[in-house]
Amino acid sequence: MSQEVAIIGAGLSGLSFALALHQQSIPCTIYESRPDAPLNIGGAVMLSPNALRILDRLGVYDVMRTRGYNFTKLEYRNVASTSGPEDTGVVTETQEFGGAEKYQYDGLRIYRTQIIDTLLAVLAEKGISIRYGHKFTKVIEETAEGVTWEWADGTTGTAAVLVGADGIHSTVRKYLYPDLKTTFTGMAGITAAVPTAQLEAPADLHMPVTFILPGKGAFVIAPQGIDGSEILIGKQRRIGENDLTREEWATFISDKEGQAKFLQSDNEGFPDLVHRAAAKISHDRINVWPFYIVPKLDTWSSPKHQRVVILGDAAHAIPPSAGQGINQAFEDIYTLALLLGGAQRREKKDPALVQEALKFWQSHRQSRVDQVLELNKQIDLRRVPGGEDVERKEFDLAWLYTLDPDQVVQEWLDARR
Ligand SMILES: Cc1cc2nc3c(=O)[nH]c(=O)nc-3n(C[C@H](O)[C@H](O)[C@H](O)COP(=O)(O)OP(=O)(O)OC[C@H]3O[C@@H](n4cnc5c(N)ncnc54)[C@H](O)[C@@H]3O)c2cc1C
């Protein structure tokens, strides 16, 4: 049986996990169902210090920092009682998203393609292979030594460990939870990228900003690109109680005119810069992000031999309120690689350590994800109609942004000596 780790999925979780394993001298191969380049969905994403610290330790932060828009906070403005069309309302709340002094890193808004390209370049440099056109279908056998699985073309693969980094609709997860269904929240984020100049925003307007019109909704504006010369604009769209079929989603997503109209319409009551922001939208810069939830899972690894593991969106898709989806995935991959590396180095002395490490990983990561879900809930409470009355104390996010995964893992390993 091969000693390597097989990673299913070349998304951000899969690519970064491979790099983290390499750092621990654990051999791995990434398998991706797509025929060539990794999935590049959704324009730019926001990375917070907890994830940036990890990217730094993986040796890719210095490059990424120069390829994205650095910022420290998100601002929320209530536009319910503005005095005129150019009035941008009152700041009701700010949310820290970074800060070099306090958290070592500013927040970074960076195109997903920039993260992917940076990771791909480093993986190539290190000789880590990505095999495209490999669609995982099912686990055939798991033993104490490893896993055998089947590809869509009927051939099989084997590895010591199989890791499902295959996203929210994970097929690897089916091995652990054959009947699990993701829950569609009924909502989707509709976004577009437009030139910042189009807004004609006042020079003193802080961005990223979310304009909130109580009872009506929110309109998000977030700069991207190194110089912020482009912005993402976005609103949430109610789709309906029931999930769409694959075909219906394809039709919905390809209806670019419909998405552009949605961003442009029903904006009465918002400042004029919102109208200008949405006035001209290039169809090829529109994205649709349907919000699904993965129910809380008892375990992220197969119970008997723990040779099949899931992480990232496959284990815990996180709704967007606190902007932690991708950031939590980076915590998953790095902590797991550190634990596997540490445990393997001591395996001869302590053969049960790998199993124990996986259990610790799950409980540590789950408690962080739970805290993020609670933060999401608190943020959402302020955004629903009537939420204006919720006390506006700034969230203390030190627990989220200052985590040092190396220290967490070292302390756990030391306690096992
Ligand atoms: C439009 C959009 C915008 C988003 N914006 C943000 C944002 O601003 N901030 C944020 O934090 N999150 C955002 N998200 C969520 C974020 O993209 C996910 O949290 C993140 O991509 C999860 O990474 P992942 O690697 O775990 O999964 P994915 O990115 O979904 O990657 C999974 C990979 O596995 C491959 N795969 C799937 N099945 C198989 C199989 N059977 N065999 C082989 N390969 C397979 C897929 O092709 C894919 O490459 C957004 C999502 C969307 C759709």
Side-chain angles (χ1 to χ4, degrees):
M1 181 76 64
S2 147
Q3 279 314 298
E4 75 166 14
V5 174
I7 302 171
I8 307 295
L12 297 186
S13 301
L15 295 173
S16 56
F17 187 47
L19 188 53
L21 285 177
H22 181 81
Q23 205 175 53
Q24 297 299 320
S25 306
I26 299 175
C28 66
T29 300
I30 308 173
Y31 298 94
E32 166 60 46
S33 58
R34 293 160 59 84
D36 40 44
L39 189 66
N40 177 26
I41 37 164
V45 295
M46 292 200 284
L47 301 180
S48 50
N50 46 325
L52 295 169
R53 186 167 299 109
I54 286 166
L55 294 170
D56 201 3
R57 290 180 186 173
L58 290 175
V60 289
Y61 171 67
D62 283 342
V63 174
M64 286 189 196
R65 182 170 53 92
T66 60
R67 295 184 177 175
Y69 183 79
N70 291 266
F71 68 103
T72 59
K73 63 176 183 180
L74 311 174
E75 207 164 86
Y76 295 86
R77 286 175 168 263
N78 186 320
V79 291
S81 42
T82 46
S83 60
E86 296 302 331
D87 185 344
T88 52
V90 286
V91 177
T92 51
E93 197 185 333
T94 56
Q95 183 192 323
E96 286 182 316
F97 213 85
E101 258 179 48
K102 203 167 165 187
Y103 303 119
Q104 279 179 281
Y105 304 91
D106 285 346
L108 183 67
R109 204 171 147 71
I110 179 167
Y111 294 112
R112 190 186 298 258
T113 147
Q114 294 283 6
I115 308 180
I116 290 173
D117 289 352
T118 310
L119 289 171
L120 285 179
V122 182
L123 291 173
E125 222 173 77
K126 313 260 182 220
I128 301 168
S129 98
I130 307 178
R131 303 185 63 186
Y132 294 101
H134 279 69
K135 185 173 184 179
F136 167 92
T137 53
K138 61 174 191 256
V139 171
I140 296 174
E141 189 187 22
E142 182 192 5
T143 65
E145 278 72 48
V147 190
T148 304
W149 66 89
E150 189 175 274
W151 300 116
D153 65 4
T155 58
T156 59
T158 60
V161 177
L162 175 75
V163 173
D166 52 343
I168 190 154
H169 303 296
S170 168
T171 312
V172 177
R173 189 176 57 217
K174 287 200 168 74
Y175 177 61
L176 309 184
Y177 297 95
D179 302 322
L180 183 128
K181 291 211 166 28
T182 50
T183 315
F184 179 52
T185 60
M187 302 294 286
I190 312 295
T191 64
V194 301
T196 306
Q198 187 169 314
L199 264 72
E200 295 169 38
D204 61 350
L205 179 72
H206 174 85
M207 295 190 277
V209 61
T210 301
F211 292 110
I212 297 174
L213 190 52
K216 188 146 182 192
F219 195 99
V220 178
I221 296 183
Q224 50 201 32
I226 307 161
D227 55 358
S229 59
E230 187 176 85
I231 50 162
L232 166 135
I233 59 170
K235 292 204 286 192
Q236 292 199 5
R237 184 167 188 178
R238 179 158 291 288
I239 307 293
E241 293 303 306
N242 299 322
D243 197 359
L244 306 185
T245 62
R246 191 186 278 257
E247 293 72 30
E248 285 168 339
W249 271 121
T251 309
F252 182 81
I253 289 169
S254 63
D255 176 19
K256 301 293 182 188
E257 188 52 33
Q259 311 306 345
K261 285 252 158 60
F262 170 75
L263 286 170
Q264 287 160 341
S265 59
D266 208 19
N267 290 340
E268 300 79 23
F270 283 98
D272 267 11
L273 76 83
V274 163
H275 301 251
R276 290 193 292 270
K280 252 200 258 160
I281 294 175
S282 185
H283 285 186
D284 60 346
R285 304 306 308 280
I286 295 176
N287 271 303
V288 175
W289 178 8
F291 301 144
Y292 289 91
I293 295 171
V294 175
K296 186 168 169 175
L297 305 176
D298 298 335
T299 178
W300 299 347
S301 56
S302 49
K304 193 158 176 210
H305 299 298
Q306 293 176 299
R307 297 266 162 188
V308 180
V309 180
I310 51 173
L311 47 71
D313 267 17
H316 53 68
I318 296 172
S321 320
Q324 277 296 309
I326 287 175
N327 296 288
Q328 288 303 304
F330 285 130
E331 285 193 22
D332 282 358
I333 63 95
Y334 189 68
T335 319
L336 181 57
L338 282 181
L339 281 163
L340 289 177
Q344 284 195 0
R345 281 191 286 279
R346 290 206 216 148
E347 207 177 6
K348 282 213 175 81
K349 276 196 210 146
D350 188 353
L353 196 56
V354 173
Q355 257 91 359
E356 291 301 315
L358 276 167
K359 273 191 211 143
F360 171 69
W361 174 69
Q362 156 102 37
S363 69
H364 162 71
R365 290 295 309 122
Q366 185 67 64
S367 72
R368 296 273 297 167
V369 168
D370 286 348
Q371 275 178 290
V372 169
L373 292 175
E374 181 54 34
L375 174 65
N376 270 357
K377 219 193 271 172
Q378 298 305 320
I379 291 174
D380 291 344
L381 267 181
R382 297 176 178 197
R383 309 277 153 76
V384 292
E388 309 83 57
D389 301 332
V390 175
E391 195 198 349
R392 284 292 191 278
K393 227 172 76 195
E394 199 170 310
F395 294 111
D396 177 1
L397 297 173
W399 64 269
L400 181 57
Y401 297 154
T402 57
L403 179 87
D404 183 339
D406 290 82
Q407 191 185 337
V408 170
V409 169
Q410 197 53 53
E411 280 171 7
W412 183 81
L413 286 168
D414 288 348
R416 298 264 321 174
R417 270 181 211 281

